[in-house]
Amino acid sequence: MEIIRFVFWEAVKVLALVLLGMVSSKSVAALSMRKTWVKPVLYTLILALSGVGAWEVGNDVAAEVYMWTSNSNLSRGELDKAYANALQAVRMRPTHLSYWRALMRAKMRMEQLQSVLDDEPSMRALSNGDLDEIDEYQFSLCSYFLGQNDKVVAATLRLIRQNPSYAAPYVLQGLAYTAEQKYPEAQQSFLAVLQIFPNNQAAVEGLARAYYLGGERQRALAVLDETAKFPFPPPVRQRFDALKGLYDQ
């Protein structure tokens, strides 16, 4: 649908340029002027404006193609190509947030986490200071892997206030608290997820780990036992069994 919308609007732009050029040329041809040099100047101006418009449309199309190619590269695991194509799209159209997102995806796959965070001010400015919650979460994820846990907690608290039913920030917040050895706070974060989504695997594992690291081994085992009530797939159940064996030692 996004591709169809893009092609439609670019076709409208091209059609508008053609019509504008034709109408302008006919208007100039119909003018009666004593000074013969005026018409050539007007024709040159029309040609220049049409050229600029065509250049802009061409850049729009090229940038979009670079982004599509980058996404295709990512799906095939061609990370260097995905990064290069996304970067080219951003360079051609630096005011388009979608191209920055493509660059973010490529950088995260390449584990260029600090580089992703370096792009945050630019993306936030393009969003008028109000980032999409998915973008905000991705930046928080980068901060977590870089050990910036205070920043993670602040961002996830903000995300949770904006959308209390968005599970991912609770889990990430719990992981950040666990890394800071704030086990009661971590437990509260994971429990908040499980109250809404009782079959969230990451929250189950996070809660069991927070209990275990906090010295509550039996409660950690009880969390894993409780999963028997919910329809987890066999590979997940095997993982829970492995954790139970680890925590029961």
Side-chain angles (χ1 to χ4, degrees):
M1 177 61 82
E2 197 66 33
I3 294 176
I4 295 174
R5 187 182 297 114
F6 173 79
V7 171
F8 171 77
W9 284 113
E10 291 306 311
V12 169
K13 290 179 186 177
V14 171
L15 183 59
L17 279 173
V18 172
L19 290 175
L20 182 61
M22 292 175 59
V23 171
S24 300
S25 297
K26 287 184 177 181
S27 299
V28 171
L31 292 176
S32 297
M33 295 183 178
R34 294 180 179 179
K35 297 181 179 180
T36 57
W37 58 268
V38 175
K39 282 190 176 183
V41 170
L42 291 175
Y43 281 127
T44 302
L45 180 60
I46 291 171
L47 182 61
L49 291 174
S50 298
V52 170
W55 175 265
E56 289 296 314
V57 171
N59 280 346
D60 284 344
V61 172
E64 195 74 11
V65 169
Y66 276 120
M67 185 185 72
W68 295 340
T69 305
S70 175
N71 292 337
S72 180
N73 294 144
L74 274 184
S75 68
R76 295 195 298 269
E78 300 168 346
L79 304 185
D80 289 340
K81 291 181 180 179
Y83 171 79
N85 285 316
L87 183 61
Q88 188 62 28
V90 169
R91 285 173 173 169
M92 296 187 76
R93 284 292 180 265
T95 59
H96 287 229
L97 192 56
S98 59
Y99 303 148
W100 285 95
R101 286 174 177 147
L103 183 60
M104 175 197 284
R105 289 192 293 271
K107 286 182 176 181
M108 291 191 72
R109 286 283 297 276
M110 297 177 75
E111 298 184 7
Q112 296 182 8
L113 304 180
Q114 186 56 56
S115 183
V116 173
L117 293 180
D118 291 342
D119 291 341
E120 182 178 356
S122 297
M123 292 183 66
R124 197 173 290 278
L126 291 175
S127 304
N128 296 320
D130 187 20
L131 278 174
D132 176 270
E133 64 181 13
I134 302 299
D135 295 336
E136 190 87 63
Y137 176 76
Q138 297 294 338
F139 287 127
S140 298
L141 199 59
C142 291
S143 296
Y144 171 73
F145 285 119
L146 290 172
Q148 302 170 359
N149 293 307
D150 289 343
K151 187 176 179 181
V152 173
V153 170
T156 51
L157 284 172
R158 185 166 58 251
L159 282 168
I160 290 168
R161 283 195 302 269
Q162 293 171 355
N163 186 357
S165 62
Y166 184 22
Y170 291 96
V171 174
L172 186 57
Q173 184 183 89
L175 293 173
Y177 279 136
T178 301
E180 293 180 323
Q181 299 183 2
K182 297 179 179 179
Y183 302 122
E185 291 87 345
Q187 292 157 17
Q188 290 176 6
S189 296
F190 293 126
L191 282 169
V193 179
L194 294 173
Q195 288 172 357
I196 307 172
F197 306 104
N199 60 345
N200 186 298
Q201 179 187 350
V204 169
E205 293 184 14
L207 180 59
R209 183 166 179 262
Y211 279 136
Y212 181 75
L213 293 176
E216 300 181 84
R217 183 170 62 89
Q218 291 303 320
R219 295 190 73 177
L221 293 172
V223 169
L224 296 170
D225 288 336
E226 193 74 11
T227 61
K229 299 178 181 179
F230 304 101
F232 288 99
V236 176
R237 293 212 170 278
Q238 292 174 6
R239 179 171 173 80
F240 290 161
D241 289 339
L243 290 174
K244 286 169 65 176
L246 176 64
Y247 295 158
D248 200 24
Q249 293 178 359

